[in-house]
Each structure stands twice: as structure tokens, then as C-alpha cells.
Amino acid sequence: MTRYADIPKPIRSGIVLVDPELGTPQRVIVLQFNPDTLERSLSPQSAGGSGDSGGGGSGNGDRNEALRLKGPAQETWKFTAEIDATDQFEIAAPDGIHPQLAVLEMLVQPTSSQLREASRQSQKGTIEISPIEMPLTLFTWGSKRVMPVRLTELSINESAFDVNLNPIRASLSIGLKVLTVSDLPLGHPGAELYYAHLAQKERLAAAARTAGIGSLGLGSAGIGVGRG
């Protein structure tokens, strides 16, 4: 037994592919290394336009809508993932990291059989061919961040190769858009997962320590505003 035997192993971030109809996991993609940084952006869906409609402002928004939201914020994530076959010498890798890259690339394109079937439908004279539905994609960053997403960006920088020109090291820039109930139909498994994701945010917000108005240098009457 080593002196580090009791140290828990770090949880890996990853991607889970889920059957969009049954809601059952089809495949789990574990990132080899957790990204060092995450870039997150939230854009509110404001009901009114920017600015105001008064004589002193430059906008044309409705004053009655200034504090209203049409729906959940649009949230995006960006991070850089690393894949390195040289870090796993004990695992045979005759194709280098081709398989790991291919798994991620298949998140943004249909399979050859799906494309062939769509082509056959077109040749039969089918007037309207439905877009190909991909598996529901979940991004996980620990137990407190499990959310339905769409891959919006995948940029691959291969930086080392073996003697057969198989890539053995790569850096991937990954962009994700969190899918909300504004993007998914009612009852869709992804919509329920988004509700759970939002509820988790609410629980964390409720657990945050609150401060008194005095910490801002204001008295209790300092921000009192009447509506007379």
C-alpha cells in the first residue's frame, strides 16, 4: 500500500450520448485530462429592447419590459482539451489517437448509413426529408454540472505523429451551447435534464452567504424608493 492510497481519484469531465427517445445512455466519452480553464458566457433573453424610449435615451425598448425575461439565458461553454497517446504507453495504440478524435468528430456529422438512407429517400421522390436526428449530448463537469448541449465548435490541432503518421498528440478547442427548454420540445429528455441543471443552480444560489445593505455603506432607507 502506498502513502497515497487514501487520496480519492479526481473525477473526470466528459460527454454522454443519450438516446433522444428513450433517454438511455449510448456512449460515454471521458476526457483524458480535465481542462485547466473554462470560458462560460450567459446572455439573457430580455423581453424589451436595449435602452429606453424616453427623451433622454437612445434606445427604443419598452419601459414596461425592462425587467422581464422571455426565457432562460443562452449559455455557452468553451475550453481546450488535450489528448496524448504518449501518456498511456501501457495501452496499445496502433492507430494513435485517431479513434478518440473520430468519436468527437462524429458528434457533428451523421453516419454514412444515415446519409445513404437520406439519399435513397431523395431518389424515391420523397418531397420532404426530415433532418437527421443526432443523439442527445450531455456535458458533465462533476455532479453539479450535467447539462444538455450542442457542439458548436471543434477545432483540432495535431502536434505529434508516429512513424505511420498517426496523430499521437492533439489539442482540441471545443465550444458548446447549453440546450434549454427554449430549444427542446416539451417532454424531451433533454428538457427535463435542463430543468434539473437549472434547479441545481438555484440550490447553489440559495446556499450563498448573503450580506447586509450596511456592507455597501448604505442605510436601510438609503435605497428606499416610492412609487407615488
Side-chain angles (χ1 to χ4, degrees), residues 12 60 118:
R12 299 283 184 86
N60 56 2

Side-chain angles (χ1 to χ4, degrees), residues 204-211:
L204 292 173
R209 294 181 59 185
T210 59

Side-chain angles (χ1 to χ4, degrees), residues 85-86 88-100 162 166-168:
T86 63
Q88 303 179 8
F89 281 121
E90 72 280 4
I91 302 175
D95 299 317
I97 59 173
H98 270 309
Q100 294 94 319
D162 63 17
N166 294 311
I168 58 175

Side-chain angles (χ1 to χ4, degrees), residues 96-153:
I97 59 173
H98 270 309
Q100 294 94 319
L101 295 178
V103 167
L104 292 171
E105 291 176 50
M106 290 307 299
L107 295 178
V108 295
Q109 54 190 5
T111 65
S112 57
S113 60
Q114 289 173 323
L115 289 174
R116 290 182 185 278
E117 177 60 25
S119 179
R120 282 194 289 267
Q121 293 293 330
S122 177
Q123 291 175 356
K124 289 180 180 178
T126 303
I127 297 177
E128 182 178 356
I129 300 176
S130 299
I132 297 171
E133 184 172 12
M134 301 294 287
L136 172 64
T137 304
L138 307 180
F139 179 65
T140 70
W141 186 272
S143 60
K144 296 180 178 63
R145 289 174 169 174
V146 180
M147 66 212 82
V149 297
R150 178 192 300 125
L151 193 66
T152 58
E153 176 186 339

